[in-house]
Short mmCIF file of all heavy atoms in Angstrom, two decimals:
data_model
loop_
_atom_site.label_atom_id
_atom_site.label_comp_id
_atom_site.label_asym_id
_atom_site.label_seq_id
_atom_site.Cartn_x
_atom_site.Cartn_y
_atom_site.Cartn_z
N ALA T 398 4.85 9.48 -10.10
CA ALA T 398 3.86 9.20 -11.11
C ALA T 398 3.38 7.77 -10.97
O ALA T 398 3.75 6.85 -11.71
CB ALA T 398 4.50 9.44 -12.49
N ASP T 399 2.50 7.58 -9.97
CA ASP T 399 1.77 6.35 -9.76
C ASP T 399 0.29 6.70 -10.04
O ASP T 399 -0.36 7.34 -9.24
CB ASP T 399 1.89 5.86 -8.32
CG ASP T 399 3.33 5.46 -7.97
OD1 ASP T 399 4.22 5.51 -8.81
OD2 ASP T 399 3.55 5.08 -6.79
N LEU T 400 -0.18 6.25 -11.22
CA LEU T 400 -1.48 6.76 -11.68
C LEU T 400 -2.38 5.64 -12.23
O LEU T 400 -1.87 4.65 -12.75
CB LEU T 400 -1.30 7.79 -12.78
CG LEU T 400 -0.44 9.02 -12.38
CD1 LEU T 400 0.06 9.76 -13.66
CD2 LEU T 400 -1.29 9.93 -11.49
N VAL T 401 -3.69 5.83 -12.10
CA VAL T 401 -4.61 4.86 -12.61
C VAL T 401 -5.70 5.58 -13.51
O VAL T 401 -6.25 6.57 -13.07
CB VAL T 401 -5.38 4.12 -11.51
CG1 VAL T 401 -6.36 3.08 -12.06
CG2 VAL T 401 -4.38 3.43 -10.53
N VAL T 402 -5.92 5.02 -14.66
CA VAL T 402 -6.94 5.60 -15.56
C VAL T 402 -8.12 4.60 -15.52
O VAL T 402 -7.94 3.43 -15.83
CB VAL T 402 -6.46 5.75 -17.04
CG1 VAL T 402 -7.58 6.25 -17.89
CG2 VAL T 402 -5.26 6.70 -17.06
N TRP T 403 -9.26 5.10 -15.17
CA TRP T 403 -10.49 4.26 -15.02
C TRP T 403 -11.32 4.54 -16.26
O TRP T 403 -11.55 5.65 -16.65
CB TRP T 403 -11.28 4.65 -13.79
CG TRP T 403 -10.46 4.48 -12.50
CD1 TRP T 403 -9.54 5.32 -12.03
CD2 TRP T 403 -10.48 3.34 -11.64
NE1 TRP T 403 -9.01 4.84 -10.86
CE2 TRP T 403 -9.54 3.62 -10.56
CE3 TRP T 403 -11.23 2.18 -11.58
CZ2 TRP T 403 -9.33 2.74 -9.51
CZ3 TRP T 403 -10.99 1.28 -10.52
CH2 TRP T 403 -10.07 1.59 -9.50
N ASP T 404 -11.88 3.45 -16.82
CA ASP T 404 -12.75 3.61 -18.00
C ASP T 404 -14.13 4.08 -17.62
O ASP T 404 -15.06 3.29 -17.35
CB ASP T 404 -12.86 2.17 -18.67
CG ASP T 404 -13.64 2.37 -19.96
OD1 ASP T 404 -14.12 3.47 -20.27
OD2 ASP T 404 -13.78 1.34 -20.70
N ALA T 405 -14.25 5.39 -17.55
CA ALA T 405 -15.52 6.04 -17.21
C ALA T 405 -16.36 6.29 -18.40
O ALA T 405 -17.45 6.82 -18.31
CB ALA T 405 -15.21 7.33 -16.45
N GLU T 406 -15.87 5.96 -19.57
CA GLU T 406 -16.56 6.23 -20.83
C GLU T 406 -17.42 5.03 -21.25
O GLU T 406 -18.56 5.22 -21.61
CB GLU T 406 -15.53 6.58 -21.92
CG GLU T 406 -16.26 7.01 -23.25
CD GLU T 406 -15.21 7.45 -24.27
OE1 GLU T 406 -14.05 6.95 -24.22
OE2 GLU T 406 -15.55 8.23 -25.11
N ASN T 407 -16.85 3.87 -21.14
CA ASN T 407 -17.55 2.69 -21.67
C ASN T 407 -18.04 1.69 -20.59
O ASN T 407 -18.68 0.76 -20.90
CB ASN T 407 -16.62 1.95 -22.64
CG ASN T 407 -16.29 2.82 -23.85
OD1 ASN T 407 -17.18 3.38 -24.47
ND2 ASN T 407 -15.00 2.94 -24.14
N SER T 408 -17.64 1.97 -19.35
CA SER T 408 -18.03 1.00 -18.26
C SER T 408 -19.56 1.16 -18.03
O SER T 408 -20.01 2.24 -17.64
CB SER T 408 -17.26 1.31 -17.02
OG SER T 408 -17.88 0.63 -15.93
N PRO T 409 -20.29 0.11 -18.16
CA PRO T 409 -21.80 0.17 -17.88
C PRO T 409 -22.09 0.62 -16.45
O PRO T 409 -23.03 1.37 -16.22
CB PRO T 409 -22.28 -1.26 -18.10
CG PRO T 409 -21.27 -1.92 -18.96
CD PRO T 409 -19.90 -1.25 -18.66
N SER T 410 -21.19 0.27 -15.53
CA SER T 410 -21.45 0.59 -14.13
C SER T 410 -21.32 2.12 -13.86
O SER T 410 -21.79 2.57 -12.88
CB SER T 410 -20.57 -0.15 -13.20
OG SER T 410 -19.22 0.10 -13.47
N MET T 411 -20.65 2.80 -14.76
CA MET T 411 -20.42 4.27 -14.50
C MET T 411 -21.23 5.18 -15.42
O MET T 411 -21.07 6.38 -15.36
CB MET T 411 -18.93 4.59 -14.55
CG MET T 411 -18.21 4.20 -13.28
SD MET T 411 -16.54 4.86 -13.21
CE MET T 411 -15.64 3.63 -14.04
N LEU T 412 -22.07 4.60 -16.20
CA LEU T 412 -22.83 5.49 -17.13
C LEU T 412 -23.64 6.53 -16.31
O LEU T 412 -24.20 6.28 -15.29
CB LEU T 412 -23.92 4.61 -17.83
CG LEU T 412 -23.41 3.76 -19.00
CD1 LEU T 412 -24.57 2.90 -19.58
CD2 LEU T 412 -22.79 4.62 -20.08
#
Side-chain angles (χ1 to χ4, degrees):
D399 294 358
L400 300 164
V401 181
V402 178
W403 302 80
D404 185 358
E406 183 174 29
N407 296 311
S408 166
S410 59
M411 281 193 272
L412 283 176

